[in-house]
Amino acid sequence: MTPEELSAAITTCLKDALDAGELTVPVEALPSEVRVERPKSRDHGDWATSIALQLAKPAGVPPRKIAEILQTRLSEIPGVSKVDIAGPGFLNITVDAAAAGELAKAIVEAGESFGTNVAMAGTKINLEFVSANPTGPIHLGGTRWAAVGDSLARIFLSQGADVTREYYFNDHGNQIDKFARSLLASAKGEPAPEDGYGGDYIVDIATEVMANNPGILESTDPQEEFRAQGVELMFAAIRKSLHEFGVDFDVYFHENSLFEDGAVEKLLEQLKGSGNMYLKDGAWWLNSTDYGDDKDRVVIKSDGNAAYIAGDIAYFKNKRDRGFDLCIYMLGADHHGYVARLKAAAAAMGDDANRVEVLIGQMVNLVQDGKPVRMSKRAGTVVTMEDLVEAVGTDAARYSLARFSSDSNIDIDLDVLTKKSNENPVFYVQYAHARTCAVARNAAAANVERTAFEAAALSHVTESELLAVLGQYPGMLSQAAGFREPHRVARHLEVIAGAYHRWYDACRVTPMGEEAVTDVNRTRLWLNDAVGQVLANGLAMLGVSAPERM
């Protein structure tokens, strides 16, 4: 019995009690899903729920009264062996070994689909992440978003959502001009402009542009030539780096297209007509404070040029016009102000501000030999995606960046990530998967096959623990999607790996010496293979490989 099945059983008992008139609870107070959790002490049972406490106030009765009603009904559910009431009304539930053990077979039979559901079916999500300026290699902040964003997309897909991964290609504005001037200076053998870009990559791109166009310095507008060709070469390099990191986008949206096709201008005229923009000091302002922003925003500057937010508003409208129900922006630590302004812009356009979500990612620091790593071999000023991957490999890089909440600063210790030991979290999880494969190979050599399954045979304490954490995987995946937190997947995989290693030490799949193969051996093989399946499924959510040998 999985936590989801138990949750559904409690929900059914609650509904039956309401239908029978044993309880009266307002419809709006009823939860869509009853949450079940592992109790702090296994002596208290396999699962616990506080639903009686949640419903006590709206029902107008003491929580123990609700708990007693549910206790009676739950005790009659097949697979539930005991229901106790604790404290003011907590329900502690124990399931019988057979009901718990059935999960192992269910996982193996479900295969890659275990943990997936259709809760988000019908939701069309635009997930925009990385979107680094095409003025240099992807730095660690962008690398973090690549790992987290791609993992989040995979998690959404596992819940039935329709997801489009989108990269906003910033090819309009001042940063691109600085980039072009830097390339031109390099081509002329001059130092980089004071506000420009340095690093070997600038020299490499300028050299390639020159090789492709030998007479470029004599052209009418060499800076524009370097801008156009340099941006194209830089972005090709960015796409290559992302692809090698296991991240590919469905849409590469060019910011400049919003200005070239008149989308920005058309939207600004629409906003003027709506009464949500006003003229002050020669500039046009969006009255965004009316919609929750901390201040009104200049949309058209006094010189007549569009401010940066104009493109943001037009971009959001473009996404909505493409039919997206939810637009998620994954932005860097310096973009906190965008949360309120993007929501306000949506509301000012007459849209639902909740269709905008902004996730803010914090800084990433690399540490080696106990000291910060600050300089790149290639970029000169920042550590890049290539630097990290070269140091630890793609799997370790992706896993380590995804295993922390994105709103926290993190230090990545390169010394730990290159160790083949339990200190290294990605090695710990991948090794557990490889061990399940080794056990399966040894079982095959000993003629242990999945020809029989006796769920009640999985009664050892380590088996109960292992089945419990496997059963929590689907709910955890659903929570990772709901909270937009891929790190929940990584942390849960580490819990599963730990439970598996303890089971491996205590229970044998293959018989000792000349002992005969029994149904216990065969049933344990189902459990072993179930663990391997869940670890592989979870690692796939993070874009990390599940090796069969290590």
Side-chain angles (χ1 to χ4, degrees), residues 25-254:
V25 182
V27 174
E28 62 273 13
L30 292 172
S32 58
E33 180 183 3
V34 175
R35 186 171 181 180
V36 295
E37 299 177 308
R38 298 285 286 171
K40 291 180 180 178
S41 170
R42 289 302 305 278
D43 293 337
H44 296 161
D46 296 312
W47 301 101
T49 179
S50 59
I51 186 63
L53 282 77
Q54 296 171 39
L55 296 179
K57 187 174 181 180
V61 296
R64 281 193 74 93
K65 171 70 174 174
I66 299 174
E68 287 166 1
I69 292 170
L70 291 175
Q71 179 188 38
T72 301
R73 291 184 172 275
L74 272 172
S75 297
E76 298 172 356
I77 298 291
V80 174
S81 63
K82 187 171 66 168
V83 182
D84 294 322
I85 300 173
F90 291 99
L91 285 167
N92 291 329
I93 304 163
T94 302
V95 297
D96 62 46
E102 286 293 340
L103 176 64
K105 189 176 184 188
I107 291 171
V108 173
E109 291 175 342
E112 292 181 4
S113 68
F114 181 73
T116 65
N117 64 54
V118 293
M120 297 181 73
T123 303
K124 191 175 181 183
I125 299 174
N126 181 283
L127 182 61
E128 183 212 324
F129 58 105
V130 183
S131 298
N133 287 333
T135 54
I138 297 176
H139 56 68
L140 281 184
T143 307
R144 183 179 198 177
W145 274 142
V148 174
D150 188 61
S151 297
L152 188 55
R154 292 165 186 253
I155 291 167
F156 283 150
L157 288 168
S158 79
Q159 305 302 293
D162 179 355
V163 183
T164 294
R165 296 168 172 89
E166 186 149 315
Y167 190 115
Y168 188 50
F169 185 59
N170 302 86
D171 54 352
H172 181 89
N174 189 41
Q175 296 300 319
I176 299 297
D177 292 336
K178 291 180 182 179
F179 178 63
R181 290 200 304 273
S182 302
L183 292 174
L184 181 58
S186 177
K188 290 180 175 179
E190 298 171 356
E194 188 174 335
D195 60 347
Y197 296 93
D200 292 347
Y201 76 97
I202 289 290
V203 176
D204 294 342
I205 292 174
T207 301
E208 188 169 351
V209 172
M210 292 273 286
N212 294 336
N213 305 268
I216 191 171
L217 292 176
E218 285 74 47
S219 64
T220 306
D221 190 349
Q223 182 173 311
E224 174 58 25
E225 293 291 328
F226 273 101
R227 187 200 68 79
Q229 296 178 47
V231 165
E232 188 174 328
L233 288 170
M234 187 70 255
F235 196 56
I238 288 173
R239 288 177 69 163
K240 181 174 180 290
S241 295
L242 287 165
H243 176 73
E244 292 172 351
F245 198 59
V247 179
D248 292 294
F249 289 84
D250 303 299
V251 174
Y252 291 92
F253 190 95
H254 288 256

Side-chain angles (χ1 to χ4, degrees), residues 410-430:
I410 56 174
D411 292 327
I412 300 295
D413 192 325
L414 298 181
D415 297 320
V416 169
L417 288 181
T418 51
K419 286 183 179 179
K420 296 188 184 299
S421 73
N422 291 347
E423 286 181 73
N424 179 352
V426 66
F427 177 86
Y428 186 64
V429 174
Q430 287 183 317

Side-chain angles (χ1 to χ4, degrees), residues 394-413:
T394 298
D395 278 351
R398 286 193 61 139
Y399 188 97
S400 59
L401 290 169
R403 77 182 289 264
F404 294 94
S405 173
S406 56
D407 62 2
S408 63
N409 291 318
I410 56 174
D411 292 327
I412 300 295
D413 192 325

Side-chain angles (χ1 to χ4, degrees), residues 277-330:
M277 280 178 62
Y278 60 90
L279 187 63
K280 176 186 173 184
D281 300 330
W284 282 92
W285 298 67
L286 180 71
N287 59 347
S288 48
T289 50
D290 290 352
Y291 301 98
D293 202 355
D294 59 342
K295 62 181 179 181
D296 288 350
R297 305 286 176 175
V298 173
V299 181
I300 304 175
K301 295 181 285 189
S302 56
D303 62 6
N305 290 319
Y308 197 82
I309 192 175
D312 290 336
I313 300 171
Y315 184 36
F316 170 72
K317 184 175 186 305
N318 176 279
K319 290 180 178 182
R320 293 288 287 127
D321 289 345
R322 283 186 276 154
F324 292 107
D325 306 304
L326 180 61
C327 302
I328 301 178
Y329 299 76
M330 304 180 75

